[in-house]
Amino acid sequence: MRSHSLAQTQPNAYLPHEAEVVKFVQESKTIYTLYLRFTDPLVHANYMYDPGQFNMLYLHGVGEVPISIVSDPEHEDLLIHTINRVGRVTRGLAAVSEGQRLGVRGPYGRGWPLREAEGQDVVIVSGGLGCAPVVSVINYMIRRRERFGRFTIVQKVKHVDEFIWPERYERWQQVPDTTVLVAATQGAENWRWQVSPRIKVMEEVKVHTERTIAMICGPEGFMASAAEHLIGQGVPAASIYMSTERNMQCAVGHCGHCQFGPTFICKEGPVYAYPRIKPLLNIRGF
Amino acid sequence: MERFLPTAQFQRLINLLRRDGYDCVGPRVRDGAIVYGPLERVEELPVGWHDEQRPGHYRLARGSGRRFFDWANGPEALKPLTFASREVLWTVVRDGQGSLRFCEEVPEVRPTAVIGVRACDIAAMHLQDQHFGYREYQDPYYNRRRRALFLVAVDCARPASTCFCHSTGDGPAAHAGFDIALTELDDGFIARARSERGRDLLAELPTTEVTPDHHAAAGAQHDAAVAAQTRRLAGRNLKASLFAHLDHPEWDAVAGRCLSCGNCTAVCPTCFCHSVGDTTELDGRRSTHHRQWDSCFSAGHSYMHSFVVRDQTVLRYRQWLTHKLGTWHDQYGRSGCVGCGRCLTWCPVGIDMVETANRICGGDGDAQP
């Protein structure tokens, strides 16, 4: 799947390429999606990535921000980024209009273990906006349903507002051999999914075989609890993957901000096998 | 190749380097410290000067000696010459139609010969070479400066009380990574060439044979420099020990004194953290993307959209030390400390990093020699 992109073989890894905002979709109050195309057709045609990798998006005069790629590299022509409006750059990006130009460089990091997952049962767990990076994985797998065993998709949010794309979860419920578990800590009127505290919803995840792989994305405490729960259910620790997040400024392992124990998240992560990061996960200050 | 260069001929070395197109840079006394500056004449070197260093203390004093390098080190390593403290990475211009044109700004550099490089600083530069130089992403800014250097090392004959390079294996003598290395004696230098161009240069200099007396003096000087270093880390690899003691009370004790000012990381020859920022001109069209040295002791270093990972000094100090002496081993195959002692000397409250690390690790440091 992976080949070199022009962005990676060009001598200066810091230099973005110009890209155009083709479409802007507001997903919720704070969450939006950008559909991008490199303005240089050659760059666009040669841009290869894996689900779970990320790009650095540059907004003119404001700065760069790392954002995971949610499009399917084999099924979508445009580069898709779903973004939560939380910081200086993401607030600026929330105000872009279609046709506006951005800078994009990437892809960076290691994505989800999709090859390893083939032939195995798959459990996908996300918490809050953790769903954005894993939605690309879910889409990827659903499109190639026959390559994988049983699917379990868990999405946990605190407030019902954080739950986006309900229609996707409803659609996934219809996919054969697929269990969809959505829960909020606090319910609301018209909330048709579960209401349950913390990771209680994980108790409903049925693990049938040791050949089960799990992919988790969300706050660190949530990911660690979910991982431990799955290990208790018989999932091998080495088959549990999670996506981490830290301050990132260069994305090429130079600036030091995303250093996490023995690794730089921008290069070895953001997706890690659980045993690799378990020693420092949830320890304050790392 | 090893030759003896009499003191009277030392200027010839600079002359030849300048003839070959190098700008020469060397240690000079400025504002009460020894720092790198342009060098044309050997008299501009800190002849006769000594440095007195201890945690939180650095003073220069002039003695009656005639040696050029009779001091340990100043606040600057080679780092500022290769990894600029602030530089522009690229600029972008937005035209009237809204198109963005990105333009890389790789620095113009001149070939530069650095005279008087210490072994600890060469070891540190090797670590930065690994970090910036040739892994999957090469840094064209660092590499351009790095490739322009010609290095003339000088073995340390007079370590400061803060020095512990012998315990880290990086000094006091230079063993690799230089073009020419000098051992300063009272009447001249034993010069050894390591690179092809170093050999060529040395062959042109009016040198003599190195005598057994020279070797004996150099050996005694080296042994004395080693013996003068009483400070030592508990082991070369403290990773397991540091991570086994993440709750040690010493972390809080040191954090109670630490100002989180970042002096230690600024003078550290291996610290590479930098922040990236953008400055837009008032017309809103042209913007520059730049980087500048950052420190894991700053609040912004671990900032995440909604919180700061290390919001307390104790977490920052622990992050710094467990990385420098611990997980550097995983990332670069060795500790990130080369024993230069600068983080002790330039700490405004005189925190002794070696003592802190040894206290935390107790007796469990891996005690390889």
Side-chain angles (χ1 to χ4, degrees):
Chain A
M1 180 196 306
R2 183 78 181 273
S3 72
H4 280 292
S5 73
L6 286 186
Q8 275 189 318
T9 52
Q10 70 171 193
N12 193 332
Y14 284 97
L15 199 64
H17 291 283
E18 187 195 51
E20 180 184 351
V21 179
V22 179
K23 193 163 96 171
F24 180 98
V25 175
Q26 194 72 45
E27 308 280 2
S28 78
K29 211 160 65 183
T30 61
I31 299 165
Y32 56 96
T33 299
L34 301 179
Y35 293 73
L36 306 175
R37 181 192 288 121
F38 289 104
T39 51
D40 180 343
L42 191 63
V43 172
H44 194 77
N46 286 280
Y47 187 83
M48 307 290 175
Y49 58 94
D50 296 335
Q53 287 193 288
F54 68 95
N55 279 323
M56 293 299 282
L57 303 190
Y58 169 77
L59 179 63
H60 183 260
V62 181
E64 286 190 310
V65 67
I67 304 286
S68 61
I69 310 170
V70 299
S71 36
D72 184 326
E74 290 167 16
H75 278 78
E76 275 145 330
D77 179 45
L78 297 179
L79 205 51
I80 308 177
H81 290 283
T82 294
I83 303 169
N84 196 8
R85 194 186 68 200
V86 284
R88 203 169 49 87
V89 183
T90 53
R91 255 191 286 276
L93 286 170
V96 299
S97 44
E98 291 173 359
Q100 191 169 332
R101 304 295 168 88
L102 306 175
V104 177
R105 60 185 176 98
Y108 297 117
R110 291 194 204 164
W112 297 100
L114 297 171
R115 280 267 158 71
E116 293 89 324
E118 291 191 12
Q120 302 203 45
D121 286 1
V122 181
V123 180
I124 292 183
V125 183
S126 57
L129 192 70
C131 72
V134 296
V135 159
S136 59
V137 174
I138 298 170
N139 283 332
Y140 180 95
M141 291 188 176
I142 300 260
R143 283 200 176 101
R144 299 155 181 86
R145 183 70 192 88
E146 71 291 350
R147 296 190 200 168
F148 305 95
R150 299 178 193 86
F151 270 175
T152 308
I153 297 168
V154 183
Q155 160 72 350
K156 176 69 210 300
V157 293
K158 274 193 183 136
H159 306 286
V160 298
D161 288 1
E162 292 172 29
F163 183 58
I164 58 171
W165 300 322
E167 69 293 345
R168 295 189 190 189
Y169 288 86
E170 280 159 24
R171 198 166 67 237
W172 294 333
Q173 272 187 312
Q174 312 306 317
V175 176
D177 255 342
T178 303
T179 308
V180 175
L181 301 165
V182 177
T185 310
Q186 296 172 347
E189 246 183 281
N190 300 326
W191 177 249
R192 55 170 294 260
W193 307 89
Q194 298 184 40
V195 175
S196 73
R198 293 186 298 277
I199 63 154
K200 195 167 188 332
V201 62
M202 289 298 293
E203 289 168 14
E204 292 176 45
V205 175
K206 299 278 175 289
V207 175
H208 300 271
T209 160
E210 232 184 52
R211 291 197 36 81
T212 298
I213 194 166
M215 303 181 205
I216 313 179
C217 192
E220 272 165 39
F222 170 87
M223 292 197 293
S225 307
E228 289 303 327
H229 182 86
L230 289 169
I231 290 169
Q233 297 293 305
V235 180
S239 296
I240 297 175
Y241 291 83
M242 44 185 69
S243 182
T244 51
E245 205 184 3
R246 281 293 177 276
N247 182 319
M248 269 185 207
Q249 302 194 10
C250 76
V252 294
H254 291 164
C255 79
H257 291 87
C258 71
Q259 179 249 328
F260 185 66
T263 79
F264 291 115
I265 288 177
C266 68
K267 276 170 43 176
E268 201 183 320
V271 176
Y272 291 93
Y274 181 47
R276 177 72 171 146
I277 53 168
K278 186 182 173 188
L280 291 183
L281 202 66
N282 250 344
I283 297 184
R284 212 163 123 64
F286 285 103
Chain B
M1 178 176 176
E2 192 180 68
R3 302 285 299 168
F4 186 76
L5 179 68
T7 302
Q9 305 295 342
F10 187 28
Q11 179 64 40
R12 302 281 281 272
L13 173 66
I14 294 177
N15 295 351
L16 284 178
L17 285 164
R18 286 163 58 85
R19 179 204 68 189
D20 290 346
Y22 290 100
D23 288 345
C24 288
V25 165
R28 304 188 54 169
V29 175
R30 197 180 74 210
D31 299 335
I34 292 174
V35 294
Y36 284 120
L39 191 69
E40 290 183 19
R41 312 231 12 106
V42 294
E43 296 79 36
E44 295 164 339
L45 290 163
V47 183
W49 287 93
H50 306 302
D51 52 3
E52 182 190 285
Q53 302 190 42
R54 52 177 190 270
H57 180 92
Y58 177 96
R59 292 289 182 279
L60 290 183
R62 195 158 199 172
S64 56
R66 294 301 304 157
R67 288 204 182 195
F68 297 94
F69 302 100
D70 212 9
W71 43 272
N73 58 21
E76 282 182 335
L78 286 167
K79 184 166 88 170
L81 298 173
T82 47
F83 170 36
S85 56
R86 182 180 167 97
E87 68 184 323
V88 173
L89 301 180
W90 44 261
T91 55
V92 58
V93 177
R94 182 168 60 189
D95 70 14
Q97 281 71 52
S99 286
L100 302 179
R101 191 160 43 81
F102 295 94
C103 183
E104 68 173 341
E105 301 282 345
V106 177
E108 287 301 321
V109 294
R110 296 216 356 101
T112 303
V114 191
I115 319 285
V117 181
R118 295 306 192 189
C120 54
D121 294 339
I122 292 178
M125 193 181 58
H126 278 299
L127 278 165
Q128 290 221 325
D129 285 352
Q130 283 193 60
H131 180 73
F132 289 113
Y134 53 83
R135 297 224 172 159
E136 58 268 57
Y137 298 108
Q138 299 177 14
D139 188 297
Y141 310 90
Y142 178 92
N143 282 356
R144 180 118 1 147
R145 292 193 175 86
R146 172 69 178 88
R147 290 197 169 104
L149 294 185
F150 184 105
L151 299 177
V152 179
V154 178
D155 297 339
C156 242
R158 191 188 179 98
S161 86
T162 43
C163 290
F164 55 102
C165 63
H166 185 63
S167 88
T168 64
D170 298 304
H175 294 293
F178 50 79
D179 293 289
I180 293 176
L182 306 174
T183 305
E184 185 175 27
L185 301 175
D186 283 335
D187 53 346
F189 302 89
I190 299 175
R192 10 187 235 286
R194 173 98 185 181
S195 67
E196 197 67 32
R197 57 188 186 174
R199 259 193 294 277
D200 291 348
L201 196 77
L202 198 48
E204 276 197 78
L205 284 167
T207 55
T208 60
E209 290 287 323
V210 180
T211 66
D213 282 354
H214 291 144
H215 276 139
Q221 181 168 294
H222 178 265
D223 293 345
V226 169
Q229 294 188 15
T230 51
R231 206 177 289 278
R232 55 184 298 134
L233 280 167
R236 292 261 175 98
N237 189 344
L238 300 177
K239 184 190 168 192
S241 186
L242 285 168
F243 282 95
H245 294 114
L246 293 179
D247 297 321
H248 197 286
E250 181 66 16
W251 295 115
D252 280 319
V254 73
R257 299 174 59 207
C258 175
L259 306 176
S260 210
C261 69
N263 262 21
C264 49
T265 56
V267 294
C268 176
T270 68
C271 274
F272 49 69
C273 280
H274 57 271
S275 59
V276 176
D278 296 85
T279 308
T280 306
E281 286 178 18
L282 286 175
D283 66 5
R285 292 178 61 242
R286 192 181 143 89
S287 189
T288 56
H289 187 73
H290 48 76
R291 70 175 172 198
Q292 68 178 30
W293 290 2
D294 194 4
S295 169
C296 55
F297 284 90
S298 75
H301 189 276
S302 64
Y303 168 81
M304 300 262 294
H305 38 75
S306 49
F307 70 105
V308 171
V309 175
R310 290 179 281 279
D311 57 352
Q312 297 171 17
T313 300
V314 63
L315 300 178
R316 295 178 200 162
Y317 196 91
R318 196 176 69 174
Q319 154 74 15
W320 179 62
L321 207 65
T322 54
H323 188 214
K324 183 74 57 187
L325 302 181
T327 44
W328 271 70
H329 287 275
D330 300 294
Q331 294 181 304
Y332 305 98
R334 59 157 293 170
S335 154
C337 177
V338 295
C340 73
R342 290 187 178 92
C343 59
L344 285 68
T345 297
W346 298 95
C347 174
V349 296
I351 291 172
D352 183 333
M353 180 277 278
V354 177
E355 204 178 283
T356 303
N358 290 348
R359 258 191 219 138
I360 289 164
C361 296
D364 348 327
D366 145 21
Q368 300 169 40

